[in-house]
Short mmCIF file of all heavy atoms in Angstrom, two decimals:
data_model
loop_
_atom_site.label_atom_id
_atom_site.label_comp_id
_atom_site.label_asym_id
_atom_site.label_seq_id
_atom_site.Cartn_x
_atom_site.Cartn_y
_atom_site.Cartn_z
N ARG B 227 1.86 -6.65 -6.83
CA ARG B 227 2.89 -5.78 -7.40
C ARG B 227 4.18 -5.87 -6.59
O ARG B 227 5.28 -5.88 -7.16
CB ARG B 227 2.39 -4.34 -7.43
CG ARG B 227 1.32 -4.08 -8.49
CD ARG B 227 0.59 -2.75 -8.24
NE ARG B 227 -0.26 -2.37 -9.34
CZ ARG B 227 -1.45 -2.88 -9.59
NH1 ARG B 227 -1.92 -3.84 -8.80
NH2 ARG B 227 -2.17 -2.46 -10.61
N ALA B 228 4.05 -5.93 -5.27
CA ALA B 228 5.22 -6.01 -4.40
C ALA B 228 5.99 -7.31 -4.64
O ALA B 228 7.22 -7.31 -4.73
CB ALA B 228 4.80 -5.89 -2.95
N ALA B 229 5.26 -8.41 -4.73
CA ALA B 229 5.91 -9.71 -4.94
C ALA B 229 6.65 -9.73 -6.27
O ALA B 229 7.78 -10.23 -6.37
CB ALA B 229 4.87 -10.83 -4.90
N LEU B 230 6.03 -9.17 -7.30
CA LEU B 230 6.68 -9.13 -8.61
C LEU B 230 7.94 -8.27 -8.57
O LEU B 230 8.97 -8.62 -9.16
CB LEU B 230 5.70 -8.59 -9.66
CG LEU B 230 6.20 -8.56 -11.11
CD1 LEU B 230 6.53 -9.96 -11.59
CD2 LEU B 230 5.15 -7.91 -12.01
N ALA B 231 7.86 -7.13 -7.85
CA ALA B 231 9.02 -6.25 -7.75
C ALA B 231 10.17 -6.94 -7.01
O ALA B 231 11.34 -6.84 -7.41
CB ALA B 231 8.64 -4.96 -7.03
N ILE B 232 9.84 -7.65 -5.92
CA ILE B 232 10.87 -8.37 -5.16
C ILE B 232 11.49 -9.46 -6.02
O ILE B 232 12.72 -9.65 -6.04
CB ILE B 232 10.27 -8.96 -3.87
CG1 ILE B 232 9.86 -7.84 -2.90
CG2 ILE B 232 11.25 -9.91 -3.19
CD1 ILE B 232 9.09 -8.32 -1.69
N ASP B 233 10.65 -10.19 -6.74
CA ASP B 233 11.14 -11.26 -7.60
C ASP B 233 12.04 -10.71 -8.70
O ASP B 233 13.10 -11.27 -9.00
CB ASP B 233 9.96 -12.02 -8.20
CG ASP B 233 10.38 -13.27 -8.95
OD1 ASP B 233 11.08 -14.12 -8.36
OD2 ASP B 233 10.02 -13.40 -10.13
N ASN B 234 11.64 -9.59 -9.30
CA ASN B 234 12.46 -8.98 -10.35
C ASN B 234 13.80 -8.50 -9.79
O ASN B 234 14.84 -8.64 -10.45
CB ASN B 234 11.71 -7.81 -10.99
CG ASN B 234 10.60 -8.27 -11.93
OD1 ASN B 234 10.61 -9.40 -12.41
ND2 ASN B 234 9.64 -7.40 -12.19
N ALA B 235 13.76 -7.93 -8.59
CA ALA B 235 15.00 -7.46 -7.97
C ALA B 235 15.93 -8.64 -7.68
O ALA B 235 17.15 -8.54 -7.85
CB ALA B 235 14.70 -6.70 -6.69
N ARG B 236 15.35 -9.77 -7.27
CA ARG B 236 16.17 -10.96 -7.03
C ARG B 236 16.79 -11.47 -8.34
O ARG B 236 17.96 -11.84 -8.38
CB ARG B 236 15.31 -12.06 -6.41
CG ARG B 236 15.10 -11.90 -4.91
CD ARG B 236 14.27 -13.05 -4.40
NE ARG B 236 14.10 -12.98 -2.96
CZ ARG B 236 13.28 -13.75 -2.28
NH1 ARG B 236 12.54 -14.64 -2.91
NH2 ARG B 236 13.19 -13.64 -0.96
N LEU B 237 15.97 -11.51 -9.38
CA LEU B 237 16.48 -11.97 -10.68
C LEU B 237 17.61 -11.07 -11.17
O LEU B 237 18.61 -11.54 -11.71
CB LEU B 237 15.35 -12.02 -11.71
CG LEU B 237 14.27 -13.08 -11.47
CD1 LEU B 237 13.13 -12.91 -12.47
CD2 LEU B 237 14.85 -14.48 -11.55
N TYR B 238 17.43 -9.76 -10.96
CA TYR B 238 18.48 -8.81 -11.36
C TYR B 238 19.74 -9.04 -10.54
O TYR B 238 20.86 -9.01 -11.08
CB TYR B 238 17.96 -7.39 -11.16
CG TYR B 238 18.97 -6.32 -11.48
CD1 TYR B 238 19.42 -6.11 -12.78
CD2 TYR B 238 19.48 -5.51 -10.46
CE1 TYR B 238 20.34 -5.12 -13.07
CE2 TYR B 238 20.42 -4.52 -10.75
CZ TYR B 238 20.84 -4.33 -12.05
OH TYR B 238 21.76 -3.36 -12.32
N GLN B 239 19.54 -9.26 -9.24
CA GLN B 239 20.68 -9.53 -8.36
C GLN B 239 21.41 -10.81 -8.78
O GLN B 239 22.64 -10.86 -8.83
CB GLN B 239 20.18 -9.65 -6.91
CG GLN B 239 21.27 -9.88 -5.88
CD GLN B 239 20.70 -9.88 -4.47
OE1 GLN B 239 20.85 -8.93 -3.73
NE2 GLN B 239 20.02 -10.95 -4.09
N ASP B 240 20.61 -11.85 -9.10
CA ASP B 240 21.21 -13.12 -9.55
C ASP B 240 21.96 -12.92 -10.87
O ASP B 240 23.02 -13.51 -11.08
CB ASP B 240 20.12 -14.18 -9.72
CG ASP B 240 19.53 -14.62 -8.38
OD1 ASP B 240 20.16 -14.34 -7.34
OD2 ASP B 240 18.45 -15.23 -8.39
N ALA B 241 21.38 -12.10 -11.76
CA ALA B 241 22.03 -11.85 -13.04
C ALA B 241 23.35 -11.13 -12.85
O ALA B 241 24.35 -11.45 -13.52
CB ALA B 241 21.11 -11.03 -13.95
N ARG B 242 23.38 -10.19 -11.92
CA ARG B 242 24.63 -9.47 -11.65
C ARG B 242 25.67 -10.42 -11.05
O ARG B 242 26.85 -10.34 -11.39
CB ARG B 242 24.37 -8.30 -10.71
CG ARG B 242 23.54 -7.19 -11.30
CD ARG B 242 23.52 -5.96 -10.41
NE ARG B 242 24.85 -5.41 -10.24
CZ ARG B 242 25.11 -4.38 -9.43
NH1 ARG B 242 24.14 -3.83 -8.71
NH2 ARG B 242 26.34 -3.91 -9.31
N ARG B 243 25.20 -11.30 -10.16
CA ARG B 243 26.13 -12.26 -9.58
C ARG B 243 26.68 -13.19 -10.66
O ARG B 243 27.87 -13.53 -10.66
CB ARG B 243 25.41 -13.09 -8.51
CG ARG B 243 25.16 -12.33 -7.21
CD ARG B 243 24.34 -13.18 -6.28
NE ARG B 243 24.08 -12.50 -5.01
CZ ARG B 243 23.20 -12.91 -4.11
NH1 ARG B 243 22.49 -14.01 -4.36
NH2 ARG B 243 23.03 -12.24 -2.99
N ALA B 244 25.79 -13.62 -11.56
CA ALA B 244 26.23 -14.52 -12.64
C ALA B 244 27.24 -13.82 -13.54
O ALA B 244 28.24 -14.42 -13.95
CB ALA B 244 25.02 -14.98 -13.46
N THR B 245 26.99 -12.54 -13.82
CA THR B 245 27.94 -11.78 -14.64
C THR B 245 29.27 -11.64 -13.93
O THR B 245 30.34 -11.79 -14.53
CB THR B 245 27.37 -10.39 -14.95
OG1 THR B 245 26.13 -10.54 -15.65
CG2 THR B 245 28.32 -9.59 -15.81
N SER B 246 29.19 -11.36 -12.62
CA SER B 246 30.42 -11.24 -11.83
C SER B 246 31.18 -12.57 -11.80
O SER B 246 32.41 -12.61 -11.94
CB SER B 246 30.09 -10.79 -10.41
OG SER B 246 31.24 -10.73 -9.60
N ALA B 247 30.41 -13.67 -11.61
CA ALA B 247 31.05 -14.99 -11.58
C ALA B 247 31.70 -15.31 -12.93
O ALA B 247 32.80 -15.87 -12.99
CB ALA B 247 30.02 -16.06 -11.23
N ARG B 248 31.01 -14.94 -14.02
CA ARG B 248 31.59 -15.17 -15.35
C ARG B 248 32.89 -14.41 -15.51
O ARG B 248 33.90 -14.94 -16.00
CB ARG B 248 30.59 -14.72 -16.41
CG ARG B 248 31.09 -14.90 -17.85
CD ARG B 248 30.36 -13.96 -18.78
NE ARG B 248 30.63 -12.57 -18.44
CZ ARG B 248 29.95 -11.55 -18.94
NH1 ARG B 248 28.94 -11.76 -19.76
NH2 ARG B 248 30.25 -10.29 -18.59
N ASP B 249 32.88 -13.15 -15.06
CA ASP B 249 34.10 -12.34 -15.16
C ASP B 249 35.23 -12.93 -14.31
O ASP B 249 36.40 -12.90 -14.70
CB ASP B 249 33.81 -10.90 -14.74
CG ASP B 249 32.87 -10.19 -15.70
OD1 ASP B 249 32.72 -10.68 -16.84
OD2 ASP B 249 32.28 -9.17 -15.30
N GLU B 250 34.85 -13.45 -13.13
CA GLU B 250 35.86 -14.04 -12.26
C GLU B 250 36.45 -15.30 -12.89
O GLU B 250 37.67 -15.55 -12.84
CB GLU B 250 35.25 -14.36 -10.90
CG GLU B 250 34.95 -13.12 -10.07
CD GLU B 250 34.11 -13.42 -8.85
OE1 GLU B 250 33.43 -14.47 -8.84
OE2 GLU B 250 34.10 -12.61 -7.92
N VAL B 251 35.58 -16.11 -13.49
CA VAL B 251 36.06 -17.32 -14.16
C VAL B 251 36.98 -16.96 -15.33
O VAL B 251 38.05 -17.56 -15.53
CB VAL B 251 34.88 -18.18 -14.66
CG1 VAL B 251 35.37 -19.29 -15.57
CG2 VAL B 251 34.12 -18.76 -13.47
N LEU B 252 36.57 -15.94 -16.10
CA LEU B 252 37.41 -15.51 -17.20
C LEU B 252 38.76 -14.99 -16.70
O LEU B 252 39.80 -15.20 -17.33
CB LEU B 252 36.70 -14.40 -18.00
CG LEU B 252 35.50 -14.85 -18.83
CD1 LEU B 252 34.82 -13.65 -19.48
CD2 LEU B 252 35.92 -15.85 -19.90
N GLY B 253 38.72 -14.32 -15.53
CA GLY B 253 39.95 -13.85 -14.94
C GLY B 253 40.86 -15.00 -14.55
O GLY B 253 42.08 -14.95 -14.76
N VAL B 254 40.26 -16.05 -13.97
CA VAL B 254 41.05 -17.23 -13.60
C VAL B 254 41.64 -17.89 -14.84
O VAL B 254 42.83 -18.24 -14.90
CB VAL B 254 40.18 -18.24 -12.82
CG1 VAL B 254 40.91 -19.57 -12.66
CG2 VAL B 254 39.82 -17.67 -11.46
N VAL B 255 40.80 -18.05 -15.86
CA VAL B 255 41.25 -18.73 -17.07
C VAL B 255 42.36 -17.94 -17.76
O VAL B 255 43.37 -18.48 -18.20
CB VAL B 255 40.06 -18.95 -18.03
CG1 VAL B 255 40.54 -19.45 -19.38
CG2 VAL B 255 39.07 -19.93 -17.42
N SER B 256 42.15 -16.61 -17.84
CA SER B 256 43.12 -15.79 -18.58
C SER B 256 44.40 -15.55 -17.79
O SER B 256 45.47 -15.38 -18.38
CB SER B 256 42.49 -14.44 -18.94
OG SER B 256 42.17 -13.72 -17.77
N HIS B 257 44.31 -15.53 -16.46
CA HIS B 257 45.49 -15.22 -15.66
C HIS B 257 46.17 -16.47 -15.12
O HIS B 257 47.35 -16.74 -15.39
CB HIS B 257 45.10 -14.30 -14.50
CG HIS B 257 46.26 -13.94 -13.62
ND1 HIS B 257 46.61 -14.70 -12.51
CD2 HIS B 257 47.14 -12.92 -13.69
CE1 HIS B 257 47.67 -14.15 -11.94
NE2 HIS B 257 48.01 -13.07 -12.61
N ASP B 258 45.40 -17.30 -14.38
CA ASP B 258 46.02 -18.42 -13.68
C ASP B 258 46.43 -19.55 -14.62
O ASP B 258 47.37 -20.30 -14.32
CB ASP B 258 45.07 -18.96 -12.61
CG ASP B 258 44.90 -17.97 -11.46
OD1 ASP B 258 45.66 -17.00 -11.43
OD2 ASP B 258 44.02 -18.18 -10.62
N LEU B 259 45.73 -19.71 -15.74
CA LEU B 259 46.12 -20.77 -16.67
C LEU B 259 47.24 -20.34 -17.62
O LEU B 259 47.82 -21.18 -18.30
CB LEU B 259 44.90 -21.21 -17.49
CG LEU B 259 43.79 -21.94 -16.73
CD1 LEU B 259 42.70 -22.37 -17.70
CD2 LEU B 259 44.34 -23.16 -16.00
N ARG B 260 47.54 -19.05 -17.62
CA ARG B 260 48.57 -18.57 -18.54
C ARG B 260 49.95 -19.10 -18.16
O ARG B 260 50.74 -19.46 -19.03
CB ARG B 260 48.57 -17.03 -18.54
CG ARG B 260 49.55 -16.42 -19.54
CD ARG B 260 49.39 -14.92 -19.58
NE ARG B 260 48.04 -14.56 -20.01
CZ ARG B 260 47.44 -13.41 -19.69
NH1 ARG B 260 48.05 -12.56 -18.90
NH2 ARG B 260 46.24 -13.14 -20.15
N ASN B 261 50.23 -19.17 -16.85
CA ASN B 261 51.55 -19.64 -16.42
C ASN B 261 51.82 -21.09 -16.84
O ASN B 261 52.85 -21.37 -17.45
CB ASN B 261 51.70 -19.49 -14.91
CG ASN B 261 51.79 -18.03 -14.50
OD1 ASN B 261 52.20 -17.19 -15.29
ND2 ASN B 261 51.41 -17.73 -13.26
N PRO B 262 50.91 -22.04 -16.52
CA PRO B 262 51.21 -23.41 -16.97
C PRO B 262 51.19 -23.56 -18.48
O PRO B 262 51.96 -24.34 -19.04
CB PRO B 262 50.08 -24.25 -16.32
CG PRO B 262 49.00 -23.29 -15.99
CD PRO B 262 49.69 -22.00 -15.68
N LEU B 263 50.36 -22.79 -19.17
CA LEU B 263 50.36 -22.84 -20.64
C LEU B 263 51.69 -22.34 -21.20
O LEU B 263 52.24 -22.91 -22.16
CB LEU B 263 49.21 -22.00 -21.20
CG LEU B 263 47.83 -22.67 -21.24
CD1 LEU B 263 46.76 -21.68 -21.68
CD2 LEU B 263 47.83 -23.88 -22.18
N SER B 264 52.20 -21.29 -20.57
CA SER B 264 53.49 -20.76 -21.02
C SER B 264 54.59 -21.78 -20.80
O SER B 264 55.49 -21.95 -21.66
CB SER B 264 53.81 -19.46 -20.28
OG SER B 264 52.85 -18.46 -20.57
N ALA B 265 54.54 -22.46 -19.64
CA ALA B 265 55.56 -23.48 -19.35
C ALA B 265 55.49 -24.62 -20.36
O ALA B 265 56.52 -25.11 -20.85
CB ALA B 265 55.37 -24.00 -17.92
#
Side-chain angles (χ1 to χ4, degrees):
R227 287 165 170 78
L230 183 61
I232 293 172
D233 188 55
N234 285 339
R236 279 181 177 171
L237 292 174
Y238 177 68
Q239 182 175 255
D240 291 344
R242 292 190 62 184
R243 286 175 179 167
T245 301
S246 177
R248 180 203 63 192
D249 294 342
E250 289 168 340
V251 170
L252 290 175
V254 170
V255 171
S256 63
H257 180 271
D258 291 350
L259 292 183
R260 184 174 298 154
N261 290 335
L263 278 174
S264 297

